[in-house]
Amino acid sequence: MASSGFVVAATVPAAKLCCPNHGGSRARHRKLLGLSAHARGRAPPVWTAAAASVTTAPREQAEIARSLNAWVEEHMLPLLTPVDAAWQPHDFLPCSGDAAFAEEVAELRAGAAGMPDEVMVCLVGNMVTEEALPTYQSMGNRSGGVGDDTGVSTLPWARWLRGWTAEENRHGDLLNRYLYLSGRVDMRQVEITVHHLLRNGMEMLMPVSPYHNLIYGAFQERATFVSHGHTARLAGQHGDRTLAKICGVIAADERRHEAGYTMASARLFELDPDGMVRALADVMRGKVTMPGQLMSDGRDGSLFARFSAVAQRAGVYTASDYGDLVEHFVRRWRVGELAAGLSGEGRRAQEYLCGLAPKIRRMEELAQRRAARSEPAMARFSWIFDRPVMLG
């Protein structure tokens, strides 16, 4: 992610991720997929001591998470690629020191010329979210027990956070350079959007909770894996082999990172099933915002919502994908099998979570029927020189 997708923070690129919408049922999808009250025009959620009582107290969570340092050393750190073996953005783009640079750029542009505007909008939105990585690392460092207290800590959690950041940093660099070379987008407007997002930051319900953060990290990384994977497929269909490779290699990174956060969350489910099932229910009730939700180009006050609607229509990231994610993690973390150690609230959270994926699918079917009966809306995006794109 960055995304889609964090980042170690909480839903869909880096984040990093977009929230699907459908025509007349956009409000329903915002609620379903976690768009905050702030995104719907009301006051943003604010973390309070009262909110902390929703799950195990953050201090207790931090101690449990901190106890996993040796486990992180053994199971998570090996997922990071050694620097000497890692890919770099330069590997997938024309070499500026090569005599054939101009010809290579011309070839890249020829491939990019066939990409539909709606896919380019999705690509820009995902890149902007990836570029806000400093915010995500900062949020990760606020989380109790899993951050880097000194900036150079040798503890495994700290090394994971820095290693994750180093690998994620390549994603925004690679997508940014591709977009610049493609000639398809207004790079100054794109850069303004990145600038705004970094200034605006991101909102979280419980920024110090490692449980919420790690659950969110798992969802965010899987969502960005799906989003970049779909973009790679669309690029291949439209003849852009360079973009297909770029999105494919980024998706592979996101899959590795997802594995780390998923395993860590599974381990916490073993240690504190009640605290984790309640935290997961919190996240799924949509109380945590998307990492790119506060993006702005300085013109469009609904930029993130419109970007999300385009992603839904283009098939880059959809409500159906979100339902698949929920179903995957409920199954992966064996939520339905939890028994011992659950409080009354934990059992209610378990029941809610086990019925959530079918509910999402029913709402998606209803939204699709409503969208089919409504006129599709259009919106102009400054990212693509104010050309109009269909929203729904």
Side-chain angles (χ1 to χ4, degrees):
M1 145 182 92
S3 183
S4 245
F6 247 45
V7 151
V8 232
T11 209
V12 201
K16 211 161 172 196
L17 192 50
C18 50
C19 210
N21 290 308
H22 269 310
S25 57
R26 289 182 190 130
R28 184 180 296 267
H29 270 85
R30 289 192 184 106
K31 181 178 180 182
L32 173 65
L33 294 180
L35 276 176
S36 69
H38 176 69
R40 302 194 297 271
R42 298 193 294 276
V46 177
W47 185 89
T48 65
S53 67
V54 173
T55 61
T56 307
R59 183 174 298 176
E60 297 173 30
Q61 292 183 5
E63 290 303 317
I64 294 173
R66 190 175 292 112
S67 74
L68 292 183
N69 265 304
W71 182 92
V72 172
E73 178 86 46
E74 180 180 357
H75 296 281
M76 290 181 69
L77 291 182
L79 294 172
L80 299 174
T81 305
V83 176
D84 290 344
W87 63 265
Q88 299 299 335
H90 183 83
D91 300 334
F92 298 92
L93 297 169
C95 176
S96 59
D98 194 325
F101 177 67
E103 290 81 359
E104 292 170 356
V105 171
E107 182 179 355
L108 183 149
R109 290 193 167 203
M115 294 299 296
D117 277 346
E118 58 264 29
V119 179
M120 297 304 292
V121 166
C122 296
L123 188 64
V124 171
N126 284 344
M127 184 278 279
V128 167
T129 309
E130 296 279 0
E131 289 280 53
L133 182 61
T135 296
Y136 313 144
Q137 186 181 30
S138 297
M139 297 303 284
N141 270 329
R142 296 183 67 188
S143 180
V146 300
D148 183 357
D149 293 337
T150 68
V152 291
S153 171
T154 59
L155 289 175
W157 273 123
R159 287 156 54 203
W160 167 266
L161 181 59
R162 293 199 304 269
W164 171 86
T165 301
E167 292 192 353
E168 289 283 339
N169 186 64
R170 302 168 306 159
H171 301 172
D173 286 351
L174 178 53
L175 293 173
N176 195 318
R177 294 174 197 175
Y178 166 85
L179 287 169
Y180 172 75
L181 292 173
S182 75
R184 288 292 309 278
V185 303
D186 184 335
M187 283 305 298
R188 193 168 199 281
Q189 283 304 122
V190 173
E191 290 160 357
I192 286 172
T193 308
V194 173
H195 197 156
H196 273 296
L197 183 54
L198 281 165
R199 282 172 62 99
N200 292 343
M202 64 180 289
E203 298 170 336
M204 289 183 62
L205 175 68
M206 293 184 66
V208 299
S209 165
Y211 289 9
H212 289 72
N213 278 329
L214 293 172
I215 288 169
Y216 178 62
F219 270 86
Q220 187 64 50
E221 296 299 324
R222 188 170 183 86
T224 47
F225 158 70
V226 169
S227 180
H228 288 301
H230 285 334
T231 307
R233 173 181 53 80
L234 290 169
Q237 290 176 355
H238 291 282
D240 192 336
R241 293 179 295 176
T242 298
L243 182 58
K245 290 179 181 178
I246 287 172
C247 291
V249 74
I250 292 174
D253 268 8
E254 307 290 11
R255 190 65 178 268
R256 281 190 297 109
H257 298 159
E258 175 213 333
Y261 292 115
T262 299
M263 290 192 301
S265 296
R267 182 63 180 143
L268 287 172
F269 264 103
E270 296 173 3
L271 298 174
D272 184 7
D274 191 64
M276 281 295 284
V277 75
R278 292 159 64 189
L280 177 57
D282 287 347
V283 174
M284 292 300 96
R285 288 187 179 109
K287 295 178 180 176
V288 186
T289 59
M290 311 295 182
Q293 187 170 317
L294 299 182
M295 68 171 58
S296 169
D297 63 354
R299 301 180 186 179
D300 186 349
S302 302
L303 181 60
F304 180 82
R306 294 183 179 184
F307 152 59
S308 301
V310 174
Q312 166 74 33
R313 181 176 181 82
V316 168
Y317 186 79
T318 69
S320 179
D321 292 325
Y322 181 71
D324 290 343
L325 260 66
V326 172
E327 187 173 60
H328 168 80
F329 285 112
V330 167
R331 182 175 62 251
R332 172 64 177 81
W333 291 325
R334 301 181 178 180
V335 172
E337 300 173 27
L338 299 176
L342 291 190
S343 64
E345 187 175 347
R347 287 192 294 273
R348 288 189 291 274
Q350 179 187 45
E351 182 180 1
Y352 161 74
L353 291 165
C354 289
L356 184 57
K359 179 179 179 181
I360 291 172
R361 299 193 192 290
R362 289 194 298 270
M363 293 179 71
E364 168 67 0
E365 292 172 1
L366 178 61
Q368 288 180 346
R369 290 198 294 270
R370 289 180 175 176
R373 295 195 299 267
S374 62
E375 287 294 324
M378 303 288 290
R380 296 183 181 274
F381 285 83
S382 66
W383 298 339
I384 53 171
F385 302 99
D386 292 313
R387 293 192 296 272
V389 173
M390 192 172 295
L391 298 181

